[in-house]
Amino acid sequence: MYRYDQYDQQIVNERVAQFRDQTRRFLAGELTGDEYKPLRLQNGLYIQRYAPMLRVAVPYGLLNSTQIRKLAHIARKYDRGYAHVSTRQNFQYNWPELKDVPDILEELASVQMHAIQTSGNCIRNTTTDQFAGIAPDEVVDPRPLAEIIRQWSTFHPEFALLPRKFKIAISGTKEDRAVVQMHDIGLELYRDAAGELLAKVWVGGGLGRTPILGEVIEDALPWRHLISYCEAIIRVYNRYGRRDNIYKARIKILVKALGIAEFKRQVEDEWAHTRDRETTLTQEEFDRVAQYFTAPPYETLVEADAGIDAKRAAEKAFDNWVKRNVHAHKVPGYRAVTLSLKPTGVAPGDITDSQLDTVADLADKFSFGELRTTHEQNIVLSDVRLSDLYAVWQEAKAAGLATSNIGLITDIICCPGGSFCDLANAKSIPIAESIQRQFDDLDYQHDIGEMELNISGCMNSCGHHHVGHIGILGVDKNDEEWYQVSIGGKQGNDASLGSVIGPSFAADEVAGVVQRLIDVYVENRTPEERFIDTVRRLGVTPFKTRVYADRQPAKKEAANV
């Protein structure tokens, strides 16, 4: 993984000192709240409903064990003993005291971490596939280019005050696991018949109040032009994006207003001034960054292990965990392992300080000291020997990190909602817990099969509810919390936005509504058909009919009066 050089460390240390003085001045009354706000946002600090929230950057989701131990230490010393993995692959602390935040940033800087540009109207953390570099279906390792994007976008003076926040995702696999179509810019790397590295560029995607999947603006961008072309896109957005209305300020609104053809024309006109100039990437620059992403010292292993096969045959719980939480690896004899942060009764994505220490120990012992966060709010050990799987499972299970539900109905993506966020219309975490308890039987979950259930507490869609097979959105109705349900959303190559099934539900109804949706699926599915496939085949009507069945008689009766 990338290591700071002297320059990197210097600018991060200087930013810590700068923010320490800014915070001192604010606490002393020398800066007003309005003056302090943009300064704290540039350093990842929000003021939430009950306390500040600090968002820590995890570039493209890659961490080492030293950094994880530091995150555990911060959770113990400055927070309430836990942290939260966000859908942007970052870490968040929900309870730091404002006076302590400069100290936290100094601690982070000591392990080459920071919170810069994790908030504010700037280019946010670039995300990628959690299996980057190890996925069997990978065509190109996207991490070197993700790091180049990070270095280019951090402290970019022209893009520090964009009309609205800006998010980039990059993928190098046949199956899109970075959700490139729902980003402001999505980069899909591939090689042509001659072996040249190219990018399909998506633009104008985004969820929130107006969910839109991105459109292709360029089919075959040579990799050397990746930065200059992205810069041209953002420059057009920065010039013409709306600043008069926060709800219409994202690039997706500009792209839709202009149309993709006109937007592309303007980008090409802008690009003509910078193409083949200073921001054109060289092979030397690519190689400089790529050297940090070399493979660890893998052993020469066979792609089978009789001992593990015997353990799977003897212990159903271990077998279920292998089926759901263990993933293929491009190196024979190795696997990637997802540590679930979704046990029943725990807010999705939360992890305690002691669990963080366990994760660091597991990484050191079994995965060359490296790990990844996922946008599904879990953690991945990327390089586990097949023969070590049983030992990893036992240690993870003892720490509460081995729930075998990855990709199942209780592997819920969920924002903090009204429990913390002052933007939320409704709580998300209690709804997630009610669904977890409704489907707590793991055998039942495995029978239901692949499911993406996403929950957001407001229209900002931090829980990505629009692209969930089942999406749940918290809404405010007369100062009461209600929940709107959609089905048919999906991430990946064939991404789609969900359709709302009808009127919203009270909090205590939501788990039952999900149960009825699942019942319709189970009754109508064909062999090997996933929930999303059944929804696409049948449409919304049979699901809607079942869910609202007990409401229809009352409506008919009222109509007859």
Side-chain angles (χ1 to χ4, degrees):
M1 62 183 292
Y2 182 75
R3 297 284 193 271
Y4 284 10
D5 60 20
Q6 184 178 356
Y7 175 75
D8 295 322
Q9 192 66 56
Q10 178 181 340
I11 60 174
V12 170
N13 290 344
E14 288 175 352
R15 172 55 75 90
V16 171
Q18 180 189 62
F19 187 62
R20 184 181 295 283
D21 185 60
Q22 292 165 345
T23 301
R24 179 196 62 77
R25 290 161 60 202
F26 171 68
L27 293 174
E30 298 172 16
L31 291 176
T32 67
D34 288 342
E35 290 171 330
Y36 184 62
K37 181 179 179 179
L39 304 177
R40 63 173 171 78
L41 288 176
Q42 290 170 9
N43 292 280
L45 183 64
Y46 291 78
I47 302 300
Q48 298 278 63
R49 180 161 295 182
Y50 304 111
M53 181 272 281
L54 180 66
R55 182 177 293 144
V56 179
V58 182
Y60 38 90
L62 194 59
L63 287 159
N64 61 42
S65 58
T66 299
Q67 292 169 329
I68 283 286
R69 288 192 178 90
K70 179 60 72 174
L71 294 172
H73 164 74
I74 291 170
R76 273 190 298 271
K77 183 174 180 179
Y78 300 103
D79 207 275
R80 295 188 176 180
Y82 72 96
H84 176 77
V85 176
S86 79
T87 53
R88 194 124 208 96
Q89 298 182 289
N90 293 320
F91 269 87
Q92 294 180 181
Y93 293 103
N94 290 313
W95 298 101
E97 293 188 33
L98 181 56
K99 67 180 179 60
D100 291 333
V101 172
D103 292 334
I104 296 173
L105 296 179
E106 185 174 9
E107 297 247 23
L108 290 170
S110 72
V111 293
Q112 302 188 359
M113 298 186 76
H114 60 74
I116 298 163
Q117 292 183 206
T118 58
S119 59
N121 295 336
C122 57
I123 300 173
R124 301 282 186 91
N125 188 42
T126 297
T127 57
T128 190
D129 178 9
Q130 63 263 33
F131 303 120
I134 61 171
D137 68 333
E138 186 168 83
V139 179
V140 180
D141 184 350
R143 293 175 299 171
L145 287 173
E147 173 58 26
I148 288 172
I149 293 171
R150 185 196 70 80
Q151 294 187 23
W152 158 74
S153 63
T154 303
F155 297 119
H156 196 303
E158 187 179 346
F159 303 145
L161 291 171
L162 295 170
R164 198 69 173 88
K165 58 187 176 182
F166 201 93
K167 300 177 180 180
I168 300 173
I170 182 168
S171 174
T173 52
K174 295 178 181 178
E175 178 184 349
D176 172 29
R177 288 179 288 269
V179 208
V180 296
Q181 294 181 53
M182 58 171 260
H183 281 76
D184 299 290
I185 292 177
L187 301 168
E188 186 179 335
L189 302 176
Y190 68 98
R191 293 191 184 278
D192 64 9
E196 183 182 0
L197 177 57
L198 304 171
K200 178 187 287 188
V201 182
W202 300 77
V203 69
L207 301 180
R209 187 174 297 271
T210 308
I212 298 174
L213 294 178
E215 299 184 71
V216 176
I217 187 172
E218 174 57 55
D219 275 310
L221 180 72
W223 69 271
R224 295 176 185 275
H225 298 304
L226 188 147
I227 296 299
S228 61
Y229 197 78
C230 285
E231 193 166 69
I233 290 172
I234 303 173
R235 189 165 285 145
V236 171
Y237 167 57
N238 199 25
R239 185 180 303 136
Y240 298 114
R242 293 187 61 173
R243 299 177 188 268
D244 62 326
N245 187 328
I246 191 173
Y247 303 116
K248 297 182 178 181
R250 297 292 294 271
I251 192 175
K252 61 188 178 183
I253 303 299
L254 179 63
V255 173
K256 282 297 179 183
L258 294 176
I260 188 64
E262 173 60 17
F263 185 80
K264 179 179 175 66
R265 184 193 68 78
Q266 294 197 24
V267 169
E268 296 283 343
D269 285 350
E270 177 63 40
W271 191 36
H273 298 290
T274 58
R275 182 174 179 167
D276 298 322
R277 296 183 66 182
E278 292 84 356
T279 51
T280 301
L281 294 173
T282 64
Q283 187 66 49
E284 180 183 18
E285 173 63 6
F286 181 88
D287 292 344
R288 179 189 71 83
V289 176
Q291 67 177 322
Y292 293 100
F293 301 97
T294 55
Y298 292 122
E299 299 176 31
T300 302
L301 303 172
V302 296
E303 187 56 16
D305 189 284
I308 292 298
D309 292 341
K311 290 290 187 183
R312 293 184 65 178
E315 298 187 43
K316 181 180 179 181
F318 175 59
D319 184 56
N320 282 339
W321 180 78
V322 171
K323 288 177 181 176
R324 298 309 318 178
N325 297 47
V326 177
H327 317 276
H329 198 291
K330 69 179 184 182
V331 178
Y334 285 86
R335 299 290 186 271
V337 171
T338 299
L339 302 173
S340 173
L341 305 187
K342 315 289 181 63
T344 297
V346 174
D350 279 6
I351 182 167
T352 68
D353 56 336
S354 61
Q355 287 177 321
L356 284 165
D357 283 331
T358 297
V359 169
D361 292 342
L362 288 169
D364 282 338
K365 192 172 180 180
F366 298 110
S367 189
F368 302 103
E370 290 191 2
L371 44 99
R372 292 103 181 275
T373 50
T374 79
H375 79 264
E376 290 96 349
Q377 300 175 288
N378 294 305
I379 293 178
V380 171
L381 300 173
S382 53
D383 301 291
V384 177
R385 291 185 303 181
L386 176 60
S387 59
D388 287 333
L389 287 179
Y390 189 74
V392 170
W393 175 65
Q394 287 183 308
E395 294 190 28
K397 182 174 64 170
L401 297 167
T403 306
S404 57
N405 64 347
I406 300 304
L408 301 180
I409 195 167
T410 61
D411 185 17
I412 299 169
I413 293 177
C414 179
C415 74
S419 299
F420 298 99
C421 181
D422 58 2
L423 299 178
N425 295 317
K427 293 181 175 66
S428 301
I429 294 170
I431 302 304
E433 183 173 353
S434 69
I435 296 169
Q436 289 171 331
R437 297 196 184 283
Q438 180 75 24
F439 296 93
D440 195 37
D441 186 325
L442 279 170
D443 288 337
Y444 185 32
Q445 291 187 51
H446 281 253
D447 178 63
I448 294 169
E450 181 182 324
M451 170 64 69
E452 296 168 10
L453 195 152
N454 302 356
I455 306 173
S456 298
C458 77
M459 286 300 296
N460 285 320
S461 192
C462 294
H464 300 174
H465 66 278
H466 293 293
V467 291
H469 297 172
I470 297 175
I472 300 170
L473 168 65
V475 296
D476 182 304
K477 292 174 62 174
N478 301 319
D479 295 324
E480 294 182 353
E481 296 182 357
W482 289 75
Y483 297 87
Q484 190 180 80
V485 176
S486 59
I487 60 174
K490 188 181 181 299
Q491 58 180 325
N493 301 65
D494 57 342
S496 58
L497 300 173
S499 300
V500 177
I501 64 172
S504 55
F505 304 92
D508 60 1
E509 297 179 286
V510 175
V513 169
V514 174
Q515 181 67 67
R516 292 186 183 190
L517 295 173
I518 297 302
D519 290 344
V520 174
Y521 161 60
V522 170
E523 293 165 13
N524 290 276
R525 65 185 174 184
T526 60
E528 305 304 319
E529 192 174 52
R530 304 165 300 170
F531 179 88
I532 183 63
D533 300 322
T534 303
V535 171
R536 287 176 170 176
R537 177 170 57 85
L538 297 180
V540 172
T541 300
F543 296 90
K544 179 176 181 177
T545 300
R546 178 70 62 86
V547 166
Y548 293 101
D550 59 352
R551 297 188 179 191
Q552 291 174 352
K555 291 180 180 179
K556 291 178 181 177
E557 183 179 334
N560 293 329
V561 173

